[in-house]
Amino acid sequence: MSLWLILPVSLPAFTITGIWVVYAMALYNQHVCPVNNWLYNQSCEEELSVQRGPVLCCTLDNVPLISKCGTLPPESCFFSLICSTGSFIVMVIVLLRYAHVIEKHQNCVLNTAGLSTGWICAAGLIMVGNFQVDHAKVLHYVGAGVAFPTSMLFVCLQSALTYRLAKTQGEYNMGHLRCGMTLLAFIALVLSGVFFVQESFVLQHASAIFEWVFCVIIMLFYGTFAFEFGGVSGDTLMVLAKGGTQGSPSRDCKVESVRGPSQHQPESISML
């Protein structure tokens, strides 16, 4: 079993723990309201960061969206570090997944599309982490507008690819798991986006919760690649060294590897 399986496991362990640490720091510094707080006001006499007492006055500027949790220092520094490091790990995982599919089967449209969307998602995540919403709103929303849809498209492509390449019951079970996670992520993303554009305090807060759910599901989805990465070897890296040209390109991935030349040659040729 390859040690490469540690890589997809480390991504959700690092990112999920990291964003919850950022949330805890933002909560400690009173930069956002707690997740369990559903009471908001149009305005407050004092800013949240200077308020004291068991009951806090919160406005929509204090909704605990992930981006809001990482918009002010010191938590903004950790948020940028987590997003940048997570983006790098995502790029490596996506690249190894691409090479592993070529090594074990052959290249196809689904595999190439998965590589492209995964890397685009990583680029958007870097923008989200390094352009805080309160200081560079346009660039932050551009990054979010890139990262969220492409991450959703990536898990859809990988779910379809898992089913396409499945041969054993274990591989089909993994396809079922990924399909279920993809469905839950899609529901969470849609609800988060719909609630985010509403003016209701309750719906804005619900949007933040669904955003957290979506991000956690996506990170856990990457963790499921440990199932395939146990078979990553030096030959997988050689596929990358060759430019991913092993096997003939195909519109649909095939379960069996590309066969060699036929063993039965015409008699006229064999006599030569």
Side-chain angles (χ1 to χ4, degrees), residues 82-84 86-87 90 120-130 143 147 219:
I82 292 166
C83 289
S84 298
S87 298
V90 165
I120 293 173
C121 173
L125 184 59
I126 291 177
M127 294 185 65
V128 169
N130 291 277
M219 290 299 104

Side-chain angles (χ1 to χ4, degrees), residues 238-249:
M238 288 302 299
V239 172
L240 297 177
K242 295 177 182 179
T245 56
Q246 181 173 326
S248 59

Side-chain angles (χ1 to χ4, degrees), residues 5 11 36 75 81 110 162 168 180 212 217 230 235 245 253 269:
L5 64 83
L11 178 63
N36 60 352
E75 53 266 23
L81 176 64
L110 282 176
T162 303
T168 66
W212 281 89
I217 293 174
D235 294 335
T245 56
C253 285
I269 297 179

